[in-house]
Amino acid sequence: MMPLLLEELPYDPNQVTPGWIGFTATALVAIVIMALMWDFNRRVRRISDRAEAKERIAAELAEQRSAEAPDAPAGHRADDADGRADDAPPRTP
């Protein structure tokens, strides 16, 4: 049995074309890739828009908080009646 490469082909390899089936398959792959790229861009844009909106909201909230309490220093904590901060551990006797 001889390998296929050494045998003479029953047709001219330069005259063989994929035809309309090959064209259709290539066109479908191209269309699917373009649709995936469009969807990917839409999703990335939506994610970045949401991140920007969250940043704007956080900045507005920080601005509102600073406007509400301009007298309190930045590191100010409310003290209890015994002079300890609210988040300080209890004193041991």
Side-chain angles (χ1 to χ4, degrees):
M1 185 169 157
M2 294 182 70
L4 183 61
L5 296 176
L6 298 178
E7 292 180 17
E8 191 167 323
L9 298 173
Y11 54 86
D12 183 13
N14 294 323
Q15 296 296 320
V16 177
T17 62
W20 68 272
I21 295 174
F23 173 76
T24 304
T26 304
L28 286 176
V29 168
I31 290 169
V32 167
I33 288 173
M34 286 189 283
L36 287 173
M37 289 172 37
W38 177 77
D39 185 55
F40 177 75
N41 280 335
R42 184 176 54 91
R43 290 175 189 265
V44 168
R45 196 175 328 118
R46 184 183 306 159
I47 290 171
S48 65
D49 289 346
R50 286 181 182 170
E52 289 175 10
K54 284 181 183 179
E55 289 174 0
R56 274 188 271 131
I57 290 170
E60 288 176 7
L61 289 175
E63 185 178 317
Q64 285 177 358
R65 287 184 189 131
S66 66
E68 287 175 359
D71 299 336
H76 178 71
R77 295 184 294 185
D79 292 335
D80 286 339
D82 61 354
R84 292 182 302 114
D86 289 336
D87 57 349
R91 294 185 187 164
T92 56

